[in-house]
Amino acid sequence: MKAKPKAARKRTSQKRAKAFTGVHALLLFPSGEDHKATLDLMRRFSAGVRYAYNRLLEGQTREALKRENGPLRTFFRLNTRYADDAVMKAQAVLDSARERGEDPRKVVFGGRKLFETLRRRHLSGKPLKEVKREWKEKRQGLLYSRGDRTKGGNLNLRLEAEDGALWLRVNLGNGRYAWALVKTSHPNLSALVERVHASLPYNVELSLKDGKVHATFTWEEEPTPLAATKENGVLGIDVNSDPYHLALAVVGPDGNLKRHLTLSLEEVDRAPNRGTKELLLWKIAHQVVSLAEEHGVAVATERLKHLPKGRRGDGSGRAFRRKQHRFAYASLLRKVHSLARKKGVQVVEVNPQDTSAIGMLKYAPQLSLSKDVAAAYVIGRRALGFKEKLPKGYGKLLRDERFRDHAQGFYASRVRELQAKKAQEQNPYLRRRLSREIGKAKRHLSLLSSLQGSPGSQEGSTEGRNLLGGNPWRVLRVGLFLPLLGREVPRDLSPLKVILHRGAWEGWKGGLGPPPGGGPKCANVHFG
């Protein structure tokens, strides 16, 4: 655990992520004609973005699309800057689809959910009218202009301060302008006004919602010099939905655990409205960053892009869906990252693969930690570049044919019993749930079958190769938790200590699960 990681021997310059500050406001148009003209410009710009997206898919270049006699200038009557910004927006959507691994040809402007709702044609009257209005606003309600330092702020969508009020001048083209009063009480308003007076650049995006035009002003902040870096260690963070809390682990540069604690998020769950929830999340973010500043360490989190939250009718259960939908993982981490960068605290994001499994199997029993703190510890060690070696006891266990036979027999019997229960179940929702459990048991059986007398990759990654034994951490989790501890996510992991050190698993006692060699009883199996 004290071995110096290879990554620590190599110092590489890393680009710091850009930090943006923003202000959201409502636009009030004194003139009805100005309002109408702005909506028309937003409609043409939105259509230009969709057109540019399709042309980019065909291989056309940004320069070709924005040229003076190009379609964005002639068909959609956009000036050069608007045309260039439309192409940039289209490119951002294309890049986002590719990063998520989605087919760029299947992107739906306006939102797939609304599109599918309209396509089903099951609504009528007022509900249908509301969905159509929302669909139209998302499809046609966009206008964007980047800031430009050489133009004193923003040329197309320019802010003007006059008599204590802030006005937005919208360039309609052909020397015509529309004017709108900027109405907001955003805490960053004073910073925005300062930029206007100093002629500093700011980006402006207009959007349409409920018939009203909203504006979002953003600008890039000067990066704060780093005061807390991972050279001094890291603060590993793991967010958990049940119980709803943060697990924090301060990890020294040598990879050892220096301090650990948890912060409850139950108060966030009980917040009466979204505004209160946001304030509480910011409060938690301040506590996290203050802890990192106190120890002079970087902040380390998992890099997660999507968390499945379930949907009604999928058989996951109401309680499970509620826990997942209250899970403000992305929102909280965005706040932690934003605040950390402002405070000069380095932010490190790591691959989330198997952090929970490694924490539960290795450090929870070894250091008497909760599974969540153990996961935070693994995140911190991974951010520092440490590789997790498989303990000798676990390696011995994976080579034990009797253990593999027992685990495979457990899941084979489980599949049969679940299939029998499904055949007798009349409730369609419970049948779906049982189908999910059957599929999961079959996958676990297949994973156990991948063991061919080798413990596999001790780093938990095949790096593109199909090594014998597959992923040892996942095999251990499948083979130990449900067959021996009786739960897929056990709370008490201390019984694993003897296995971790000696690989001894036979003679299991304590009523934690079925005895070795015995089949499972579905009455004792916990869904989760």
Side-chain angles (χ1 to χ4, degrees), residues 75-130:
F75 295 163
F76 303 101
R77 307 193 309 280
L78 302 176
N79 64 30
T80 304
R81 285 181 174 273
Y82 278 139
D84 193 28
D85 290 335
V87 179
M88 189 201 72
K89 277 290 186 183
Q91 185 66 57
V93 176
L94 181 59
D95 293 342
S96 177
R98 286 171 175 167
E99 287 177 5
R100 295 194 305 269
E102 298 177 357
D103 186 348
R105 296 169 298 178
K106 295 183 179 180
V107 168
V108 178
F109 285 87
R112 180 169 296 279
K113 185 176 180 180
L114 287 174
F115 174 73
E116 296 292 346
T117 300
L118 289 171
R119 192 170 69 167
R120 286 201 298 269
R121 298 185 179 183
H122 64 293
L123 298 176
S124 61
K126 189 175 180 180
L128 177 60
K129 188 179 295 185
E130 285 296 313

Side-chain angles (χ1 to χ4, degrees), residues 34-46:
D34 283 358
H35 183 237
K36 184 178 179 180
T38 301
L39 292 179
D40 179 66
L41 176 59
M42 295 171 72
R43 177 188 59 80
R44 288 185 280 115
F45 183 89
S46 301

Side-chain angles (χ1 to χ4, degrees), residues 164-233:
L166 200 59
W167 293 82
L168 181 67
R169 189 191 72 179
V170 182
N171 186 356
L172 301 173
N174 297 325
R176 298 182 302 118
Y177 298 95
W179 291 86
L181 179 65
V182 178
K183 183 180 179 181
T184 182
S185 57
H186 198 281
N188 290 331
L189 177 59
S190 58
L192 177 60
V193 173
E194 287 179 12
R195 296 190 74 83
V196 173
H197 287 300
S199 298
L200 295 175
Y202 49 87
N203 308 317
V204 185
E205 181 170 321
L206 304 189
S207 58
L208 192 59
K209 185 176 181 180
D210 299 331
K212 298 177 181 179
V213 180
H214 298 260
T216 302
F217 305 91
T218 58
W219 61 91
E220 183 181 351
E221 290 186 334
E222 294 297 325
T224 305
L226 287 177
T229 67
K230 68 176 185 178
E231 290 184 357
N232 304 321

Side-chain angles (χ1 to χ4, degrees), residues 48-61:
V49 172
R50 297 195 298 273
Y51 178 88
Y53 182 86
N54 290 323
R55 301 295 79 77
L56 289 173
L57 282 178
E58 296 171 358
Q60 292 194 27
T61 64

